[in-house]
Structures are given as structure tokens and as C-alpha cells.
Amino acid sequence: MLRHILWIPLIFITLLVCGVLAALLFHVAPAEILQALKSGETLFALRLSLATSAAAVFLSLLLGVPSGYVLARRRFPAKALIDTLLDLPLVMTPLVAGIGLLFLFGRDWLGGYLAELGIRLVFTPLGAVVAQTFIAVPIVIRSSRAAFEGVNRRYELAAQTLGLSGGAIFFRITLPLARQGIVTGTVLAWARALGEFGATLMIAGATRFKTATLPVSVYLNISSGALGLALAGAWLLLLFAFLLLLAVKLLGNGAGGKMLT
């Protein structure tokens, strides 16, 4: 009896997700959606979202993989405190994160110094990259740390006895063994960056054909009553998110690939 009852929550949430997707798909005529997909605004927002999210993921890898390794393999003062701070963007409301980024890179703080170097972040696509990186990098850190913790230290010790340097051990032994988990985290971070809205809206703004990523474009078009354009952007976001999540599922039988299975 119990095993049959346990199916009820699974069936309920599956039907709920399918219901939401059906509501998005059938609320307007398919012809209107197809027309909206060809619009200049939708195509611009798609290109901007792909460009900014890809840049954010690249920066997240540069920052997140070394950080994950240090957290996995090193002991240092205030490690628990730093570890907790790095988790905050995962639970912080994106709108609040965006306000913090807006103040931090405003003229009264870092923005004035950056302006002297010719760098503007606020209300520019570069600001969207910063916001998406802030949201995505903790995912890379968490997945990288778990991946490095899963690497058997005996392989590294064996390589050390053979005379390999620390750098050679990291790049030839540790990093390849942790690759699956890092790739999984990277894909998840890309999906998160692609759909990021609140922080991007605050620091990059919502200017059509300039800083409006796909999520921001959906918001603008919903606000102005352009339902076809809004749903076209929503479906593009869902499509890319589905493909990225499917890629995680297909990564294989490694520990990283099991994160979503």
C-alpha cells in the first residue's frame, strides 16, 4: 500500500510541470509565437543572453575551479566562514544581489575607479556578465569542490613518488579525474546564468536592443502587453534550459553525472 501512495507526489508534481508548460504553449496561437521568434527584438535578446551567459560561465570556471580545489584540499583559518559566504549567492534573492552589485559598481564605490580606466558596468551588457557570474560561480565552486573531494588521493601520491611536480599532478591527474563533476557544474551554471533576471535587471537595466537579455525581454513584453513576444522568449529560455539539463543527464555514469539522476 505504501509503495503505491509514494507515487502520488511524483505524479502530482509531474502533472503540475506539464500543466505549466501547456499553459505557456497554448495561451496564444502557434502562428503568433512563430512570428515573434523571428522578430528583431527576440533575436537580439537571444544573442545577448548567449553571449553574456557564455562569458559568465568562462569567468565562473576561472574563479570557481581553483576555489573549489582550495576548499577541498586545504585547511585555513575561517574556512567555514568563507565557505558559508560563498554559498550566500545561492540563497540570496537575485534582486537583492543586483542592488548590492549596483551600489558596489556605482560611482560612489568601485565604479568611479573603473570609469577612470574606461570600464563601465552599470547599465551595460558587461554589467549583465558580472551579475550572471555572481549568481553562477557558486554552482561551479560547489561542484568542483565535490569533484575534487571525490578524487582518490592515492593517485596523486603515486604520481608524486614518480617525481611529478605539484602543477603536473594537478593538470595531469587531479583535474582529469574531477572533470566529470566540473563539467556537470559548468552546464548547470550556464543554465542558471542564461535564466538570471533580478540581478541582471538591477545592474544592467532593461533597455531594448542594448541590455535586455531574454529574461528581461520577457518581463518588458509582459509589462507592455506583447504576449506573443513574451512567450516566444519564455519558450526559448525553456528550450535552452531543457537542452542543458539533458546534456547533464547524458554526461554518463560518473559521479558528476549523477547529480541530477
Side-chain angles (χ1 to χ4, degrees):
M1 182 64 178
L2 177 60
R3 62 181 180 180
H4 294 99
I5 294 177
L6 293 176
W7 281 91
I8 296 177
L10 176 62
I11 295 172
F12 173 78
I13 192 63
T14 301
L15 291 175
L16 179 62
V17 172
C18 291
V20 170
L21 295 176
L24 288 171
L25 180 61
F26 297 113
H27 193 79
V28 297
E32 186 177 353
I33 295 290
L34 292 175
Q35 186 64 30
L37 288 172
K38 302 175 184 177
S39 72
E41 181 179 346
T42 301
L43 294 176
F44 175 86
L46 174 61
R47 288 193 295 268
L48 181 62
S49 288
L50 291 175
T52 56
S53 62
V57 168
F58 176 72
L59 291 175
S60 297
L61 280 172
L62 289 180
L63 298 170
V65 174
S67 300
Y69 180 80
V70 171
L71 289 171
R73 295 299 176 83
R74 299 289 184 267
R75 293 183 178 180
F76 52 89
K79 179 178 179 179
L81 176 62
I82 293 174
D83 194 22
T84 304
L85 285 173
L86 293 178
D87 279 338
L88 271 183
L90 293 173
V91 298
M92 185 185 300
T93 302
L95 188 63
V96 174
I99 294 173
L101 290 170
L102 180 63
F103 291 160
L104 177 62
F105 292 106
R107 282 198 166 272
D108 294 337
W109 286 57
L110 297 181
Y113 300 104
L114 293 174
E116 295 176 0
L117 300 175
I119 301 174
R120 288 186 62 245
L121 295 179
V122 178
F123 304 136
T124 68
L126 191 57
V129 174
V130 172
Q132 292 169 9
T133 302
F134 182 79
I135 297 299
V137 70
I139 300 175
V140 177
I141 293 175
R142 294 303 118 201
S143 60
S144 298
R145 178 179 181 177
F148 287 126
E149 287 176 343
V151 174
N152 195 323
R153 296 293 298 273
R154 286 181 295 180
Y155 295 116
E156 298 169 331
L157 293 174
Q160 189 174 5
T161 60
L162 295 175
L164 290 180
S165 65
I169 292 174
F170 177 79
F171 286 105
R172 297 174 62 180
I173 306 295
T174 310
L175 193 59
L177 289 175
R179 179 181 58 208
Q180 185 114 26
I182 294 173
V183 170
T184 297
T186 302
V187 175
L188 291 175
W190 192 5
R192 181 65 185 86
L194 193 63
E196 208 295 307
F197 169 69
T200 302
L201 178 66
M202 292 305 301
I203 189 172
T207 305
R208 286 185 169 93
F209 295 102
K210 183 181 179 181
T211 62
T213 58
L214 265 180
V216 175
S217 177
V218 171
Y219 165 76
L220 290 174
N221 287 308
I222 283 288
S223 301
S224 62
L227 198 55
L229 286 171
L231 290 179
W235 269 103
L236 283 174
L237 283 172
L238 287 171
L239 175 62
F240 277 98
F242 177 81
L243 292 176
L244 289 172
L245 292 174
L246 182 62
V248 173
K249 295 286 187 179
L250 298 178
L251 280 177
N253 297 321
K258 294 180 180 178
M259 287 177 63
L260 291 183
T261 56

